[in-house]
């Protein structure tokens, strides 16, 4: 098993269930995505372009699916959380029932469409 898969599989519930569901949605929405293990968390790339990463925060009791190029995202900005982060925004879940697959898929497709853009927009610099 790959390190990223170990990360997901070895999480306690409810994190494990949420992470497995997110992985399934990511891989079915973006079939060419590659799961890597960087910075001790599962990261999804298409070629050299990062799309998103997963993080289980046991201390704060949620799972984040975070998008690097979120400065360029245009969909569902009202539900993306930045919380003291300059660039990265995420969808955050405390239970599997909170995952809205329609929103998640829309944001994944949006992230895919802007994957070649940098982390910042010009006006952000």
């Amino acid at each position: 098993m790959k390190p990223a898969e170990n990360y997901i599989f070895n999480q306690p519930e409810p994190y494990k269930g949420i992470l497995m569901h997110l992985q399934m949605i990511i891989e079915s929405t973006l079939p060419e995505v590659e799961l890597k293990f960087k910075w001790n968390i599962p990261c999804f790339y298409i070629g050299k372009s990062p799309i998103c990463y997963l993080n289980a925060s046991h201390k704060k009791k949620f799972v984040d699916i975070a998008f690097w190029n979120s400065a360029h995202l245009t969909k569902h900005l009202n539900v993306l959380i930045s919380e003291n982060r300059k660039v990265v925004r995420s969808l955050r879940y405390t239970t599997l029932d909170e995952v809205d697959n329609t929103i998640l898929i829309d944001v994944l497709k949006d992230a895919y469409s802007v994957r070649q853009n940098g982390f910042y927009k010009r006006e952000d610099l």
Side-chain angles (χ1 to χ4, degrees):
M1 198 175 294
K2 295 179 179 180
E5 293 167 338
N6 278 335
Y7 174 94
I8 294 168
F9 186 74
N10 290 323
Q11 294 293 322
E13 292 295 349
Y15 310 103
K16 178 180 174 180
I18 297 168
L19 290 164
M20 289 176 74
H21 181 77
L22 295 176
Q23 179 184 7
M24 186 220 28
I25 295 293
I26 294 164
E27 291 175 348
S28 63
T29 303
L30 306 172
E32 66 272 36
V33 78
E34 183 181 355
L35 176 59
K36 298 183 178 187
F37 194 65
K38 296 189 173 211
W39 306 286
N40 294 317
I41 54 174
C43 301
F44 294 87
Y45 280 75
I46 294 179
K48 294 184 179 181
S49 300
I51 302 296
C52 60
Y53 65 84
L54 303 177
N55 183 43
S57 175
H58 295 238
K59 182 178 179 182
K60 296 184 180 180
K61 300 185 189 296
F62 61 75
V63 170
D64 257 346
I65 175 171
F67 301 90
W68 277 288
N69 291 356
S70 60
H72 302 282
L73 296 178
T74 59
K75 298 186 179 191
H76 304 288
L77 299 178
N78 59 318
V79 295
L80 288 166
I81 298 167
S82 59
E83 190 177 89
N84 301 320
R85 297 178 287 198
K86 291 182 180 181
V87 181
V88 175
R89 291 184 185 165
S90 63
L91 295 170
R92 185 167 289 169
Y93 308 108
T94 56
T95 68
L96 186 55
D97 290 338
E98 291 177 355
V99 179
D100 183 326
N101 289 339
T102 302
I103 290 174
L104 176 57
I105 290 167
D106 282 351
V107 176
L108 283 166
K109 288 178 178 178
D110 197 17
Y112 175 82
S113 73
V114 298
R115 70 189 180 284
Q116 301 299 334
N117 297 355
F119 291 111
Y120 298 99
K121 281 187 176 180
R122 284 280 180 222
E123 61 267 14
D124 294 340
L125 297 176

